């Protein structure tokens, strides 16, 4: 029998349990060896790596396994005193992606007062363009990911008023396609990661009514393959990180039940590394911290009781979002 789509095969004896303690150790030990090859190779996204680790551990209620104070000191050293933006790592250029990661870490630690949030607000404001879009940094690439980062950062520091919100919303809506999905810029192909950014953006800005939810949900639920895994675009292989992006988007628009949770859970659990802990993108591949967070996050959205509940819009623990008194919108059917 021929399958036209790319997919993976999961054996029937696949692991069904969550290797909870192994994942705690995997994340807590990540980056301990500063000479480690992987650690050196990921310098350019160190700040996001810390966010993935901090969030993953908090979802497992093991945040105390990391050194809070040294992480905060690291973030302070990465803030550019001129532009206000935060870099992935000391000595690198600031970027809105790492600025969001740093703010998310500080908010989880309830330590926003440790940095200059006024400068952060100025930085985000400086990246908005006349058409409402956002640059990611001073080099000037436009992408709907950066629109999400901008409103996520500003809502977390309670400074949403510094940008032109109406223009920002209109730009994001100009990236909506006939299939109900969103791309990185107007007329760009729909992609699950960017759909998550745009749906998250509309959730934070209370504009979910502008979505064609039925059409979008169809596109999203068609991402589920016979293996149970989700892909990011038609014809692509399933990947654990798309479990998060697709599932979080479906959760925000109130249609999580449009996919098979049971099959997806089985796929995600099959991507765990039984020896080292951590999740890989697909069954049998090497685990990494990025897929570990999104695997845990997706399991939390599916209702796994061993994990704290995660907020689908911010990908941060729900209790943290409540503590900030933020109310990102979700559609309740
Ligand atoms: Zn992935």
């Amino acid at each position: 029998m021929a399958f036209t789509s790319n997919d993976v095969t999961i054996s029937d004896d696949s692991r069904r349990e969550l290797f909870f303690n192994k994942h705690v150790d995997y994340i807590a030990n990540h980056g301990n060896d500063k000479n480690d090859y992987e650690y050196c190779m990921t310098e350019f996204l160190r700040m996001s790596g810390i966010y993935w680790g901090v969030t993953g551990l908090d979802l497992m209620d093991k945040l105390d396994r990391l050194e809070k104070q040294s992480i905060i000191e690291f973030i302070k050293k990465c803030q550019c005193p001129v532009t206000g933006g935060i870099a992935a790592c000391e000595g690198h250029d600031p970027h809105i992606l790492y600025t969001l990661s740093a703010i998310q870490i500080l908010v989880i630690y309830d330590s926003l007062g440790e940095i200059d949030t006024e400068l952060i607000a100025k930085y985000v404001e400086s990246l908005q363009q006349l058409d409402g879009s956002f640059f990611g940094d001073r080099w000037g690439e436009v992408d709907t990911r950066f629109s999400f980062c901008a409103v996520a950062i500003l809502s977390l520091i309670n400074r949403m008023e510094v940008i032109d919100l109406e223009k920002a919303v209109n730009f994001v809506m100009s990236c909506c396609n006939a299939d109900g999905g969103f791309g990185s810029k107007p007329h760009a192909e729909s992609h699950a990661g960017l759909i998550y950014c745009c749906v998250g953006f509309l959730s934070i800005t209370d504009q979910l009514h502008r979505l064609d939810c039925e059409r979008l949900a169809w596109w999203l639920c068609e991402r589920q393959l016979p293996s149970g895994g989700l892909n990011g675009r038609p014809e692509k292989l399933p990947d654990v990180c798309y479990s998060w992006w697709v599932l979080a988007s479906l959760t925000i628009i109130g249609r999580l039940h449009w996919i098979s949770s049971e099959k997806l859970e089985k796929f995600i659990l099959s991507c765990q590394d039984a020896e080292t802990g951590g999740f890989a993108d697909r069954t049998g591949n090497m685990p990494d911290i990025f897929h570990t967070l999104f695997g845990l996050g997706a399991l939390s959205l599916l209702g796994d009781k061993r994990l704290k509940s995660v907020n689908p819009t911010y990908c941060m623990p729900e209790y943290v979002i409540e503590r900030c008194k933020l109310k990102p919108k979700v559609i309740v059917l």
Side-chain angles (χ1 to χ4, degrees):
M1 190 171 144
F3 278 102
T4 51
S5 64
N6 288 319
D7 200 2
V8 294
T9 310
I10 301 174
S11 64
D12 270 346
D13 61 340
S14 269
R15 307 172 274 277
R16 297 290 188 114
E17 61 174 309
L18 178 66
F19 299 128
F20 192 96
N21 293 329
K22 294 219 169 194
H23 298 317
V24 172
D25 288 340
Y26 177 79
I27 299 178
N29 297 332
H30 189 83
N32 267 357
D33 180 1
K34 301 281 190 280
N35 297 316
D36 178 66
Y37 173 77
E38 191 197 358
Y39 187 81
C40 296
M41 290 305 287
T42 55
E43 190 180 51
F44 67 94
L45 39 76
R46 178 107 1 109
M47 190 64 76
S48 296
I50 297 173
Y51 153 71
W52 298 325
V54 164
T55 306
L57 280 179
D58 198 2
L59 290 176
M60 294 189 287
D61 203 17
K62 298 286 181 209
L63 199 47
D64 57 356
R65 290 286 300 271
L66 294 176
E67 286 173 45
K68 172 179 171 177
Q69 211 46 47
S70 61
I71 290 175
I72 291 173
E73 291 309 319
F74 171 74
I75 294 173
K76 287 162 99 165
K77 283 189 212 147
C78 295
Q79 185 174 29
C80 169
V82 181
T83 61
I86 296 176
C89 182
E90 237 184 307
H92 288 216
D93 284 334
H95 194 285
I96 198 166
L97 287 170
Y98 309 122
T99 304
L100 173 59
S101 293
I103 295 298
Q104 288 172 306
I105 298 163
L106 291 169
V107 169
I108 289 173
Y109 279 135
D110 204 6
S111 300
L112 262 186
E114 296 277 355
I115 55 153
D116 187 341
T117 52
E118 198 49 43
L119 263 183
I120 297 280
K122 283 209 176 80
Y123 177 68
V124 175
E125 181 189 4
S126 76
L127 295 173
Q128 190 172 33
Q129 305 305 302
L130 285 175
D131 65 357
S133 67
F134 286 85
F135 282 178
D137 63 10
R138 67 194 175 95
W139 305 110
E141 185 197 354
V142 163
D143 191 309
T144 43
R145 283 184 301 161
F146 309 147
S147 297
F148 171 77
C149 292
V151 297
I153 293 167
L154 294 176
S155 60
L156 287 167
I157 64 170
N158 196 20
R159 289 302 309 277
M160 199 69 110
E161 73 283 357
V162 301
I163 56 166
D164 187 328
L165 197 52
E166 196 183 329
K167 276 189 174 176
V169 172
N170 288 339
F171 174 76
V172 167
M173 289 313 299
S174 75
C175 301
C176 186
N177 293 318
D179 58 18
F182 291 81
S184 60
K185 37 182 82 72
H187 314 297
E189 182 192 8
S190 293
H191 178 286
L194 299 163
I195 290 174
Y196 165 72
C197 291
C198 293
V199 171
F201 173 98
L202 298 170
S203 158
I204 291 171
T205 56
D206 193 10
Q207 297 289 322
L208 288 174
H209 58 273
R210 301 186 60 164
L211 286 171
D212 182 345
C213 286
E214 294 287 306
R215 203 180 287 264
L216 174 58
W218 270 114
W219 191 93
L220 289 168
C221 74
E222 281 169 359
R223 304 279 61 76
Q224 190 161 39
L225 298 168
S227 65
L230 303 168
N231 65 12
R233 278 178 295 166
E235 308 303 320
K236 298 287 178 186
L237 283 167
D239 182 327
V240 161
C241 62
Y242 291 103
S243 304
W244 170 262
W245 288 317
V246 173
L247 207 58
S249 303
L250 282 170
T251 305
I252 293 169
I253 63 173
R255 287 161 175 85
L256 177 66
H257 58 284
W258 280 36
I259 58 149
S260 165
S261 295
E262 197 185 325
K263 289 183 80 174
L264 177 58
E265 184 185 22
K266 191 178 166 200
F267 171 82
I268 297 171
L269 292 175
S270 81
C271 297
Q272 300 178 99
D273 191 309
E275 281 164 34
T276 61
F279 291 73
D281 56 352
R282 278 182 278 288
T283 316
N285 288 354
M286 285 274 287
D288 62 71
I289 195 147
F290 171 82
H291 290 94
T292 301
L293 169 62
F294 292 120
L296 292 168
L299 291 172
S300 169
L301 286 179
L302 291 172
D304 195 310
K305 291 287 169 251
R306 291 159 291 188
L307 302 168
K308 290 187 193 171
S309 74
V310 67
N311 181 274
T313 301
Y314 288 93
C315 195
M316 292 162 67
E318 190 69 60
Y319 83 93
V320 173
I321 299 304
E322 283 169 15
R323 186 175 66 203
C324 297
K325 302 198 168 46
L326 288 171
K327 292 194 172 57
K329 297 293 182 290
V330 290
I331 292 173
V332 182
L333 290 181

